[in-house]
Amino acid sequence: MRRLLACALMLFAFAGAAGAAENGTTSLYNLEAPLRGQDAREIGLDVYRGHPVMITMFYGSCPMACPLIIDTMRAIERDLDARQRADLRVLMVSIDPRRDTPRALAELAKTRRIDTTRWTLAQADEATVRKLAATLGIQYRELPSGEFSHASIITVLDGRGELLGQSTELGRADPKLLEVLRQAGHLK
Amino acid sequence: MLNSQWFWKCVYGIAVAIVATAALAAPPDKEAVLQAELPGGKFETVLPPAPAVKTTRVAPFRLDRSLVTNAQFARFVKAHPEWRRERVARLFADDKYLSHWNAAGEPAGALARQPVTHVSWFAANAYCEARGARLPGWYEWEFAAAASDRAPDARNDPAWRQQILDWYSRSARGSLPPAGASPANYYGVRDLHGVAWEWVEDAGSMLVSDDGREQGDGSNRFCGVGAATFEQKENYAMLMRIAMLSSMKAAYTSSSMSFRCASGERP
Amino acid sequence: MNKWLVIVMAALLASCGQAPESNVATPDTGGSRKGDFGPPQGEPIHAVLTSPPQVPAATNRKTPAKVIVELEVIEVDREIAEGVTYTFWTFGGTVPGSFIRVRQGDTVEFHLKNHPNSKMPHNIDLHGVTGPGGGAASSFTAPGHRTQFTFKALNQGIYVYHCATAPVGMHVANGMYGLILVEPPEGLPPVDAEYYVMQGDFYTVGKYREKGHQAFDMQKAIDEHATYVLFNGSESALTGPNALKAKTNQNVRLFVGNGGPNLVSSFHVIGEIFDRVQYEGGTKVQENVQTTLIPPGGAAIVEFHTEVPGNYVLVDHAIFRAFNKGALALLEVQGEPRPDIYSGKQVDEMYVGDKLVSTAPVGAAFKSRQAGTLTQAQQIQAGEVLFKGTCSACHQESGQGIPGVFPPLAKSDYLMADHKRAIGIVLNGLTGKVKVNGVDYDSVMPPMSQLNDDEIANILTFALNSWGNENGVVTAAQVKEVRATTKRAEGAAH
């Protein structure tokens, strides 16, 4: 009986190790990125592992492009069928951790009527923001005025964190991303 | 009792013991030897922080006196095996990562003392973090690099500029000198010129156009401002550093790209 | 009205409407609006690129195709002049870069690779591209990486391409330019020989022909103070054994570009007239042109028919560039003489003497002097080559000078009497009265201080040992001393 237990334990260990090594060598989930969601919960970058994810970076006091990013991602969601929409998740990480605290993010989610069952607004420390931006290819720089100059890029990851597509189009659903999302729905 | 001689000798003895223990217990401050202190201050930069703003303010910071060597990086890789050449995730380094080390994955011979190259931004970042430090920001690097051996800001000295441009006139094929071989500049920092390119923390955010002639574009490519315009266009030595950094993605490595670490409040 | 008056008036009116035959204008091609011939047809073609001075064969296509172009950026150490090396940044390993030939309406898939040994990132702007930056914004390539973009060649013509990475001037000055030909849909009329020539100006820290490895001089480039002006990136690129070749009774076409970065070219072929010039590289043609202007970042197509055999010299007719900065190239035309067209002997040997003769003795003498093994014979050999290129224009190859104008060097009492004075004259020039062999001369000899110490020493040693002059040696050290202790003429090189 003890041997059986030991065997089972070893199997579990293997599965655990295999699970950790499950990240393909190009998966974004290789990045250790401690985040804090708008509900102040501590989460990892792979909070939505197993689901296709739209991931982007923004900042709360951004006057123009960031509301536009939210609208764009909503437009993309609308163009999917109900099942795909239910499976899709959205992760928005702020580049302004000083001002975008979990409380501020919760406020923003309320104002913009964001569906927090499938969307997360997150805060990360400056070092993590740098690294995440580097993996997504998002350039940003704080201006003396306190505003940020930043690129707006929506990235689609599959359930394993592999990058499926990126788009800089704002204002409407990029057909390229729609195509990629429809196919991603079949991958876990 | 206070008049007693040996009471005071005792107190004296205890005091000496306390001081000696404190001195022995505290490890020698290696960081102070490894790094130079730079005062920072108001600084005219080639990369304007906002349109038509030519100066920025650099807070005081510490900067490694010379580039990180292959041997130092090898010690880091040993302690952090996820950064070994055959184990590193492709997300963090391309397939030329540490390709100049030998088959056993070590820097042999003269390589050990040379500045480490073929490292990506992620790898450089991880090394500095493991040391409790960080990569320097572009403005910090530019601030340190503006100095010659005798002046804090030599950028208007044509002889100093030509010396730097001479490095670009030599091909990249020769081997690097040992780290720290070049003369110390005004701040006591070496190897800033004439040796290798260097990663900076905001390398991925130079916000410049890929076409070197664009004078900032009016498009919304970057929310907030268009692409940055260079100031001091005759300061070619600095412009080329920015051009090189902006051509590299964070996972890219290059035979001429090395790095050093900085400490202090994040710029 | 008078009948005759009517007839005369009618004749006059009729002649107004008639255009003389030679003035038939080339019809407009319609530019990019009419340049899109639809999607590519057939299998994709891998473009064959050539190194200068060769040009790829005509595409001979009637329909638009997809053409795949692969071009690699390599940083190369090469000679820019005898004994002088420079680090060039090149497209395809050469200056100018590889020649690209496509047809109007082609869809070009452009792959730019940057060799891992490159120190710098690079990109490309092709003037034949319609699109932002001419491709530069889409081809920024880090060392060891490659990028790709696709464009449709909507306009026919001969276009410059160059690197546009900051600082652009420096990338161009280091040789990063070339030509791309977008053929008209009907192709260019066939000719017997096509060649690729591109002018560029170069800026080095050292003086013209100062030996050793030279670095780029930014200040000189900003001041537009060129050290070298060259065809195809080196003094010997198209001279001596590398001269272009043709035969008599051939139609020769030259694709001539100007990479700059700064100087406009006044392109001329000594001894030939351009029968046809597509000036500015455009579609319209001018005929019977002696010298055509090619701006930096521009190109032209010149054509001429050869009749007389001989050596034809391509120059930038801003003439000091040709003789003091290297803007010379050679076209050797072989065939039967045509005394009915030109009776004289071969084109001016003394004009370009040192370009027909190998300059190897000059470099060899320099190396020997450095090694301490220089012999008088070596000096004389090197000095002869240099004399032919620089001094014989006035003093003649025979050393006789021109009576009443330029004094002789042959058996010259003035020369033999004082070697140190001779050095000073070569360095600083001489104005005013001198008496040589009993004859008065009152002329102007310009300073030759652009020659270095070895060159002056060798020229004078050659002069002291030629045409019956007894003997004598002048050393580089002696020249150095005179250079240090005398003042340069104003405006002369130091």
Side-chain angles (χ1 to χ4, degrees), chain B residues 94-96 118 158 161-162 165-173 194-197 208-214 221 230 233-237 239-249 251-256, chain C residues 74-77 86-87 89 115-123 125 127 132-134 136-146 162 164-171 174 205 213-219 222:
Chain B
D94 66 21
D95 57 7
K96 299 249 180 25
H118 292 110
R161 277 193 214 161
Q162 186 57 47
L165 284 175
D166 284 354
W167 178 57
Y168 302 125
S169 301
R170 295 198 292 277
S171 77
R173 242 161 258 116
V195 180
W197 303 114
V208 291
S209 164
D210 281 1
D211 183 339
R213 303 158 295 180
E214 273 188 36
R221 188 149 67 99
F230 293 129
K233 289 186 183 60
E234 64 282 357
N235 200 336
Y236 280 51
L239 295 187
M240 289 162 77
R241 290 260 166 191
I242 297 182
M244 179 60 181
L245 286 169
S246 57
S247 77
M248 297 282 283
K249 297 204 172 58
Y252 281 9
T253 66
S254 154
S255 61
S256 321
Chain C
I74 315 172
E75 297 172 9
V76 175
D77 282 347
Y86 188 85
T87 302
W89 300 342
H115 197 275
N117 281 341
S118 293
K119 217 177 235 174
M120 314 295 301
H122 297 286
N123 62 8
D125 166 8
H127 288 184
S138 320
S139 58
F140 196 32
T141 315
H145 291 86
R146 49 161 51 220
H162 63 89
T165 300
V168 183
M170 182 172 180
H171 284 249
N174 282 343
V205 172
H213 187 83
Q214 289 297 333
F216 169 69
D217 189 326
M218 177 63 64
Q219 196 53 51
I222 293 173

Side-chain angles (χ1 to χ4, degrees), chain C residues 99-185:
Chain C
F99 194 103
I100 306 171
R101 187 167 190 152
V102 299
R103 177 181 179 270
Q104 184 180 10
D106 279 349
T107 296
V108 179
E109 186 183 281
F110 200 98
H111 298 242
L112 187 67
K113 301 182 280 192
N114 192 356
H115 197 275
N117 281 341
S118 293
K119 217 177 235 174
M120 314 295 301
H122 297 286
N123 62 8
I124 190 167
D125 166 8
L126 300 108
H127 288 184
V129 169
T130 302
S138 320
S139 58
F140 196 32
T141 315
H145 291 86
R146 49 161 51 220
T147 55
Q148 176 187 319
F149 69 99
T150 301
F151 68 93
K152 192 174 268 192
L154 295 175
N155 295 66
Q156 55 183 272
I158 178 78
Y159 297 103
V160 169
Y161 67 75
H162 63 89
C163 180
T165 300
V168 183
M170 182 172 180
H171 284 249
V172 173
N174 282 343
M176 297 201 75
Y177 43 78
L179 289 182
I180 173 168
L181 172 66
V182 182
E183 292 175 336

Side-chain angles (χ1 to χ4, degrees), chain A residues 25 131 139-141 149-150, chain B residues 90-91 204-205 207 223 225:
Chain A
T25 184
K131 282 183 241 170
Q139 299 194 45
Y140 70 96
R141 188 172 278 282
S149 181
H150 70 99
Chain B
R90 272 292 156 261
L91 182 73
S205 293
L207 287 192
C223 159
V225 256

Side-chain angles (χ1 to χ4, degrees), chain A residues 41 65 103 107 128 140 148 170 173 185:
Chain A
R41 216 166 35 107
R103 180 186 302 228
E107 197 53 49
T128 302
Y140 70 96
F148 283 79
L170 291 181

Side-chain angles (χ1 to χ4, degrees), chain C residues 74 107 136 138-139 151 175 185 237 274 286 305 358 386 404 430 445:
Chain C
I74 315 172
T107 296
S138 320
S139 58
F151 68 93
F274 304 138
Q286 183 57 282
H305 180 263
S358 166
L386 292 158
L430 182 65
M445 167 156 162

